[in-house]
Amino acid sequence: MGKEIDLLVNYPKAKRNVEGRGAEKTEADRALARQFGKDFFDGDRRNGYGGFNYFSRFWQPVIPTFQEHFGLTSASSVLDIGCAKGFMMHDLAELIPGITVKGLDVSSYAIENAMEDMKPHVQVADARSLPFADNSFDVVISITTIHNLNREDCAKALQEIERVSKGQAFITVDAYRDEEEKARMYAWNLTAQTIMHVDEWKAFFDEVGYTGDYFWFIP
C-alpha cells in the first residue's frame, strides 16, 4: 500500500459552515446532487457547487506538489478520474508543457461543459470500468470521486486505478478520525456513498489491493 500524504496541502482552504449546510440539506437535495448534472455543478448551492467555474488560484498551487512528488515531466502521462470540467488537467498542461493529460467523468454535463482546450482529452466514462489498457498512465489521480460509489463499486474503481496505472496514484476520499468528525462529515456530505474511519479506509485499500497514495477529505 502507498502512503498517507496530503498532496493538496497548497489547495486553498474554504471556510465551511458545516452545521448550517447539514441543517439545510434534505435527501431530495442529495438525490439531485447524485445525478451530477447541471443542478450539481451550476445550480443552487444546496444541490452542489452553486457555480463550478475555473480559477487559477485553486489548482495552480497544487501542480508543483504533484510534479515533485511524482517526478512529472513533459514525457509523463496523467489520468484524472472525476475530472469534471477539466480544471486540474488544464493547469497540469499549462504548467508542465507537453505532458499528456486525459480525464473522465460520469457526468455528461461536466464533459460537455469542459474547458475548450481540454475537450479533446476528456470523455464520459465509469470509474468501475476504465476505457484504457493496462499500464496506460504514469500517474492516476482521483480527487473526492470514488467515494461516490457504494463499497463494492468503490473496490472495483480502486482495482481499475491499479490496472491502468504504472504504479503511481493518488486519491482523496471522505473520512473521519473521531465521532465529532463523523458527525460533521455526514452533515456535510451530499454525494458520497462510502464514508469510513481513516483506519477502515486503510484496511479497505489493503483488502482490494490498492497500492497508491491517499489522503482524506474531512470538513
Side-chain angles (χ1 to χ4, degrees):
M1 189 167 61
K3 59 183 176 180
E4 178 179 333
I5 181 170
D6 186 6
L7 297 183
L8 301 185
V9 64
N10 292 319
Y11 190 90
K13 301 297 188 290
K15 293 182 179 179
R16 300 183 174 97
N17 181 359
V18 179
E19 290 75 15
R21 172 160 158 161
E24 294 172 358
K25 295 297 173 286
T26 67
E27 286 309 307
D29 293 328
R30 292 183 170 94
L32 188 59
R34 286 173 179 148
Q35 295 177 22
F36 301 107
K38 182 176 181 179
D39 289 297
F40 177 67
F41 288 101
D42 295 316
D44 191 277
R45 184 72 178 89
R46 68 186 295 117
N47 302 128
Y49 289 101
F52 192 68
N53 303 302
Y54 173 78
F55 295 99
S56 61
R57 65 184 177 89
F58 287 113
W59 286 108
Q60 286 201 3
V62 178
I63 302 307
T65 309
F66 285 163
Q67 186 174 19
E68 180 179 359
H69 182 72
F70 293 117
L72 297 176
T73 70
S74 61
S76 300
S77 57
V78 177
L79 172 65
D80 182 6
I81 299 174
C83 67
K85 297 180 182 179
F87 299 160
M88 184 182 74
M89 295 169 57
H90 169 84
D91 286 347
L92 271 167
E94 186 170 276
L95 297 176
I96 310 176
I99 193 171
T100 298
V101 291
K102 297 292 181 183
L104 57 84
D105 202 286
V106 72
S107 170
S108 58
Y109 175 82
I111 297 301
E112 289 165 6
N113 290 277
M115 299 184 76
E116 285 300 321
D117 63 330
M118 289 297 108
K119 282 187 176 179
H121 309 293
V122 298
Q123 62 181 300
V124 177
D126 194 315
R128 298 170 295 181
S129 181
L130 300 177
F132 302 106
D134 297 359
N135 305 311
S136 289
F137 297 93
D138 295 312
V139 179
V140 178
I141 296 172
S142 185
I143 307 298
T144 58
T145 294
I146 65 164
H147 58 213
N148 292 327
L149 300 166
N150 63 38
R151 185 184 174 96
E152 180 181 351
D153 288 339
C154 190
K156 292 178 182 177
L158 287 167
Q159 289 164 348
E160 280 290 273
I161 289 173
E162 283 289 310
R163 182 183 66 78
V164 303
S165 77
K166 296 178 182 177
Q168 296 191 98
F170 175 68
I171 65 169
T172 66
V173 289
D174 282 3
Y176 57 88
R177 291 165 293 210
D178 54 42
E179 288 304 309
E180 182 180 343
E181 288 184 349
K182 182 178 182 180
R184 291 209 313 267
M185 186 73 258
Y186 277 91
W188 179 263
N189 173 54
L190 259 182
T191 58
Q193 296 191 61
T194 302
I195 301 171
M196 292 188 275
H197 187 281
V198 295
D199 291 337
E200 292 177 303
W201 273 115
K202 292 175 185 177
F204 184 61
F205 297 154
D206 189 54
E207 174 189 330
V208 304
Y210 174 69
T211 63
D213 299 325
Y214 52 89
F215 204 67
W216 324 112
F217 173 76
I218 301 174

